[in-house]
């Protein structure tokens, strides 16, 4: 989705939010779940750049984000911050 992809870019570049590659990777992981091959390539490149430990942190965060998104969908609220 365009919004989650844009959010990941904000975290990568530190635009309006603190620069945070792990958070960016987490949002890219959420976005890649839609099946977009371009996003998957971007995610994979960032994983390679960051290495295993930050990648595991991002995967854990992505799981949290998926849960938050599903909970908000069920309640009719917008996406998590």
């Amino acid at each position: 989705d365009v919004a989650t992809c844009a959010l990941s870019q904000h975290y990568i570049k530190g635009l309006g939010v603190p620069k945070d590659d792990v958070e960016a990777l987490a949002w890219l992981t959420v976005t890649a779940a839609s099946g977009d091959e371009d996003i998957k390539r971007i995610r994979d490149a960032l994983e390679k750049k960051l290495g295993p430990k930050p990648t595991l942190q991002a995967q854990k965060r992505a799981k949290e984000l998926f849960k938050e998104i599903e909970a908000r969908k069920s309640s009719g609220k917008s996406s998590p911050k």
Side-chain angles (χ1 to χ4, degrees):
D1 142 301
V2 174
T4 57
C5 185
L7 184 57
S8 70
Q9 294 301 310
H10 280 84
Y11 279 109
I12 289 170
K13 296 176 183 177
L15 300 173
V17 295
K19 185 178 181 326
D20 186 337
D21 288 338
V22 171
E23 190 72 11
L25 182 54
W27 282 105
L28 282 170
T29 300
V30 169
T31 307
S34 70
D36 185 305
E37 293 301 320
D38 290 332
I39 298 301
K40 287 180 182 180
R41 280 191 286 279
I42 294 167
R43 179 205 57 203
D44 293 348
L46 186 55
E47 284 179 353
K48 185 176 179 181
K49 175 186 170 195
L50 296 179
K53 187 175 179 180
T55 295
L56 287 174
Q57 292 171 329
Q59 289 169 349
K60 181 180 177 185
R61 176 66 178 134
K63 287 179 185 177
E64 294 169 357
L65 291 170
F66 280 121
K67 287 179 186 176
E68 291 176 31
I69 291 166
E70 286 306 312
R72 288 180 179 269
K73 282 182 183 177
S74 296
S75 69
K77 295 181 181 177
S78 63
S79 296
K81 296 179 182 175

